[in-house]
Amino acid sequence: MANAKLLQGNEACVFGALAAGVRFFAGYPITPSTEIANIFARELPKLGGKFMQMEDEIASMGAVIGASCTGVKAITATSGPGFSLKQENIGFAAEAEIPCVIIDVMRYGPSTGLPTKSSQGDFMQARWGTHGDHAIIVIAPYTAREAYRETGRAVNMSERYRIPVIILMDEILGHLRERVEFKEEDVVTVVDRKGPAPGVPYLPFEDTDDLIPPFAGFGDGYRYHITGLIHDKTGFPTNDPETINQVMRRMNGKLDRYRDEIVKVKYVDVDDADILIIAFGSVARAAEEVVRSMKKAGKRVGLLRPVTLWPFPDKEIRKAASGKKAVIVPEMNLGQMVREVERAVAGEAPIYPLNKIDGELITPHEISDLIKEIL
Amino acid sequence: MDATHKKYLRMNKLPHIWCPGCGDGTIMGSFIRAIDRLGYDKDDVAAVSGIGCSGRITGYLDFNTLHTTHGRALAFATGVKMAKPRLKVFVFMGDGDATAIGGNHLIHSCRRNIDITAIIFNNNIYGMTGGQYSPTTPRDKYATTAPYGTTDPHFDIAKLCIGAGASYVARGTSYHAKMLTDLIVAGAEHKGFSVIEIITHCPVNFGRRNELETPVDMLLWQKDHAVRMAKAEKMTADELADRFIIGELHKADIPEYVEEYDRLIERVQRGDTGRG
């Protein structure tokens, strides 16, 4: 990739995924994620990869999992209604530990909602959209440059941990075109899932020390069973309470074990700040502007921007927020992340939500007005 | 059990969960004999199933097996086949699985003509959940959700698949076990999307409620109501009214999806966008 490019957020996701080795996409047309499918359709055949437009959102999630079962890196993209439809199969991927990445370009909802307008209403759905306890990782980029890098990282994490990863975009970021200058740190390295060790019997859901069972692709000479039923280390269904406990705790335990590798948080002027803003995605761009303008006006405002939304960066937020005069949580929904912030901060600072749900981006003015009110 | 069957079964997973008298075991036997005749290497076979009694078959078969979500087996299988075309992909579904919750995937798999063999266990009922009527339950039959009889018209699976563009469609029964093996072999050897609808029986949740008291009664019903294609051609519509035709019902030589996409890749990599 050339050093400087004019890139759209949606487009950047595609190139990040391809750089990480994605060679299969299945999807269904939906606004505002459409460009992702369009560009995969154009780019994948050039690389010998495959693009499929499926009959519906559910089928595209199923096809992605099927492709991944053969060892091919696979991805899909959607928006609110489609994300809802995909949830059952996302749960399958979580239970069967099949690597895959789902890009959700958020629109406002519920239901058909505002297809061409932005929102951050899927913050909770991304974590808890499918039923039952499950491991899942959610990443929220805030620029096209970061969309490229973080989609690459999402693919790599999914391959490494055997956990589905959600890229939570929003309509503004998805459709925004900006100049991107790629630097050394933007290079996406390729991480492959760990394969079976030679010379030992293969246990597809083995309780390994690293909690991540080795993966054998269909057709690679290991015949085994994959199911969405709760299964033992051999992959077959079990009703044995002890086994259920052990297997489900291992699967969910991966998030705790690798938490510090997964969680990424960015800080702007946080240490000296009197006021801390916590924001992600497009809203964090407005918040960055507030930090800059307030600094000029002699006011000390900082920004903590979670790049990883789930697992939620509890300890980073608590540390940064403790003792601040105020913590402001602007988000384009009626207050989803703020609940997590309240839990993480646990009374160590007063918290002010700022919610906007009209499809428009929260402006720097709206944030600075609230800050002025507080000060 | 003979060596042929043992070769393809995960013996440590037996006995199976199916009820005594169920048709699913017969179908599994026919399938195993078909694979043996086809001579496929077990490592090259992917068996994909949905949810329900039929869905459990993948647990017993010693291949690359994928037990998916309800109705979605064909969607998962499509990903498997596209990503690794050298795999021989078989999909097992029940009637509710294939034609109710998974109906969309069924018709679109037919349309795409992807080289997958779909084996549909049609026992006219949701067996695992306790006998609710399905899209293939005939009218005026009894089910736990039709205590006064069904009022819904039913699907003819084979006709549905022919209409949707499947390039090989056959119908067999769990009574005609030898013929079923032949049909599965022919379906697998056919390049394109093949559907084998199997009229089978659920003694516990269908027969008992519908005056077919024993598994034997149900098998005899299949024997008496199935008509081979050659014979059916000489029969009148009236004579065929409450019967069904078995054998190869439809075969067409049309382009296969994965091969077509591979050709597209080859063309694009040559720099030919197809726009001349």
Side-chain angles (χ1 to χ4, degrees):
Chain A
M1 185 160 283
N3 277 348
K5 269 203 159 194
L6 183 68
L7 266 189
Q8 191 195 44
N10 281 346
E11 195 178 11
C13 289
V14 177
F15 288 109
L18 294 175
V22 165
R23 291 297 178 268
F24 185 88
F25 175 96
Y28 185 81
I30 187 166
T31 304
S33 75
T34 333
E35 294 81 5
I36 297 175
N38 295 356
I39 300 166
F40 270 119
R42 190 188 69 205
E43 297 299 322
L44 275 168
K46 296 181 190 168
L47 300 167
K50 291 179 176 170
F51 167 89
M52 288 198 81
Q53 184 169 309
M54 297 298 287
E55 55 272 22
D56 58 34
E57 295 278 0
I58 299 169
S60 48
M61 195 62 228
V64 159
I65 296 170
S68 186
C69 286
T70 71
V72 172
K73 295 179 187 181
I75 195 166
T76 185
T78 188
S79 182
F83 195 42
S84 296
L85 285 166
K86 281 176 158 52
Q87 289 298 339
E88 188 198 4
N89 283 343
I90 292 173
F92 182 95
E95 174 56 32
E97 298 177 271
I98 308 296
C100 56
V101 174
I102 302 98
I103 303 169
D104 172 24
V105 187
M106 289 183 283
R107 58 163 80 175
Y108 192 58
S111 190
T112 312
L114 292 169
T116 59
K117 296 278 193 170
S118 205
S119 121
Q120 295 181 321
D122 303 350
F123 174 87
M124 283 293 179
Q125 192 195 8
R127 178 64 188 91
W128 300 114
T130 198
H131 60 281
D133 290 316
H134 60 281
I136 205 153
I137 295 168
V138 183
I139 306 292
Y142 90 133
T143 58
R145 179 182 166 204
E146 202 175 61
Y148 174 85
R149 189 171 60 199
E150 287 300 315
T151 307
R153 187 168 82 102
V155 173
N156 288 341
M157 286 196 292
S158 191
E159 295 291 319
R160 164 145 162 68
Y161 306 125
R162 296 188 62 175
I163 294 176
V165 180
I166 314 287
I167 292 281
L168 212 51
M169 299 277 285
D170 59 64
E171 187 276 334
I172 293 166
L173 177 58
H175 284 156
L176 175 105
R177 274 178 209 281
E178 60 185 337
R179 182 187 153 87
V180 179
E181 276 188 55
F182 286 105
K183 300 194 175 113
E184 192 93 13
E185 66 260 34
D186 297 310
V187 173
V188 172
T189 51
V190 176
V191 175
D192 293 320
R193 54 191 87 164
K194 178 179 70 179
V200 250
Y202 177 54
L203 283 173
F205 297 92
E206 192 181 352
D207 187 11
T208 51
D209 290 341
D210 65 358
L211 307 181
I212 307 161
F215 183 96
F218 273 14
D220 291 349
Y222 300 85
R223 296 184 307 276
Y224 68 102
H225 191 54
I226 298 176
T227 176
L229 286 163
I230 307 296
H231 45 270
D232 62 18
K233 60 189 174 183
T234 69
F236 288 93
T238 181
N239 278 323
D240 174 54
E242 199 183 318
T243 311
I244 295 165
N245 240 297
Q246 184 272 322
V247 165
M248 294 311 287
R249 286 180 194 279
R250 174 189 62 73
M251 269 185 207
N252 287 280
K254 288 189 286 189
L255 284 182
D256 294 330
R257 173 75 66 89
Y258 298 104
R259 189 241 179 238
D260 289 344
E261 289 175 30
I262 300 166
V263 169
K264 193 192 260 190
V265 174
K266 294 285 179 182
Y267 303 92
V268 184
D269 297 345
V270 164
D271 290 346
D272 303 331
D274 296 319
I275 302 226
L276 177 68
I277 306 170
I278 301 177
F280 70 95
S282 294
V283 177
R285 298 171 74 113
E288 257 186 4
E289 176 53 29
V290 173
V291 172
R292 272 194 296 269
S293 63
M294 284 285 173
K295 200 174 190 173
K296 274 187 202 155
K299 296 193 172 69
R300 294 189 294 193
V301 178
L303 168 68
L304 184 153
R305 181 171 67 84
V307 180
T308 304
L309 297 183
W310 299 101
F312 196 68
D314 286 28
K315 65 181 182 195
E316 290 79 1
I317 285 177
R318 183 168 180 156
K319 184 162 173 258
S322 290
K324 299 292 185 211
K325 194 163 179 185
V327 175
I328 298 175
V329 187
E331 46 183 335
M332 295 170 67
N333 57 48
L334 282 174
Q336 296 188 20
M337 184 169 72
V338 71
R339 290 166 171 263
E340 292 302 301
V341 171
E342 281 165 355
R343 187 180 52 73
V345 174
E348 298 291 321
I351 292 164
Y352 297 83
L354 173 55
N355 309 108
K356 193 169 177 180
I357 54 161
D358 57 6
E360 300 293 324
L361 181 62
I362 295 177
T363 63
H365 276 292
E366 287 165 322
I367 301 172
S368 47
D369 283 353
L370 177 63
I371 291 173
K372 283 170 197 158
E373 234 176 81
I374 295 164
L375 289 171
Chain B
M1 195 182 292
D2 65 29
T4 303
H5 293 89
K6 278 185 183 162
K7 180 181 168 189
Y8 298 99
L9 286 169
R10 290 168 171 149
M11 294 302 292
N12 62 342
K13 298 299 163 195
L14 298 175
H16 57 65
I17 62 156
W18 297 317
C19 306
C22 174
D24 288 9
T26 311
I27 297 169
M28 185 161 75
S30 287
F31 176 72
I32 286 171
R33 293 186 290 278
I35 292 293
D36 193 57
R37 204 193 300 168
L38 288 158
Y40 293 161
D41 188 318
K42 292 199 286 183
D43 287 338
D44 294 337
V45 175
V48 184
S49 63
I51 295 294
C53 299
S54 66
R56 292 306 185 98
I57 193 171
T58 47
Y60 309 125
L61 295 170
D62 188 19
F63 303 114
N64 303 283
T65 56
L66 178 58
H67 178 222
T68 70
T69 48
H70 193 26
R72 319 301 174 197
L74 280 169
F76 283 67
T78 298
V80 170
K81 184 68 188 177
M82 270 296 263
K84 207 170 248 183
R86 71 171 169 82
L87 289 173
K88 315 284 185 192
V89 182
F90 293 87
V91 174
F92 300 89
M93 297 171 284
D95 42 300
D97 207 26
T99 69
I101 191 165
N104 204 25
H105 313 309
L106 179 65
I107 58 173
H108 286 275
S109 299
C110 293
R111 172 181 64 83
R112 251 178 230 121
N113 196 36
I114 188 164
D115 192 21
I116 288 173
T117 303
I119 297 171
I120 304 174
F121 297 45
N122 182 6
N123 61 6
N124 314 105
I125 205 81
Y126 286 89
M128 191 168 266
T129 46
Q132 295 77 19
Y133 67 94
S134 86
T136 66
T137 309
R139 277 180 101 130
D140 302 319
K141 297 293 177 193
Y142 294 89
T144 50
T145 47
Y148 312 113
T150 47
T151 50
D152 292 35
H154 71 278
F155 267 141
D156 178 323
I157 294 177
K159 270 190 190 166
L160 177 71
C161 294
I162 294 167
S167 55
Y168 180 94
V169 179
R171 188 189 285 124
T173 79
S174 46
Y175 173 82
H176 302 83
K178 274 192 171 168
M179 179 200 233
L180 184 54
T181 300
D182 296 341
L183 296 174
I184 295 170
V185 168
E189 283 180 334
H190 174 78
K191 193 86 189 167
F193 191 65
S194 305
V195 178
I196 324 285
E197 179 194 0
I198 304 164
I199 306 298
T200 183
H201 53 288
C202 176
V204 174
N205 278 315
F206 186 84
R208 250 183 344 140
R209 293 192 180 92
N210 289 288
E211 295 173 342
L212 291 163
E213 295 298 327
T214 69
V216 174
D217 293 333
M218 298 195 82
L219 283 164
L220 290 174
W221 182 91
Q222 288 175 24
K223 180 182 174 233
D224 294 341
H225 290 76
V227 183
R228 286 173 196 259
M229 197 60 163
K231 196 177 170 195
E233 278 164 358
K234 295 174 201 146
M235 291 167 72
T236 65
D238 274 358
E239 286 170 326
L240 282 169
D242 67 337
R243 290 164 183 259
F244 58 90
I245 302 170
I246 54 172
E248 268 181 23
L249 306 179
H250 174 75
K251 204 171 174 181
D253 185 17
I254 48 177
E256 191 277 323
Y257 186 81
V258 181
E259 285 187 351
E260 288 299 296
Y261 199 88
D262 283 343
R263 264 193 278 279
L264 176 144
I265 290 175
E266 191 258 327
R267 185 158 59 71
V268 170
Q269 289 186 334
R270 263 199 337 257
D272 174 3
T273 60
R275 287 172 171 272

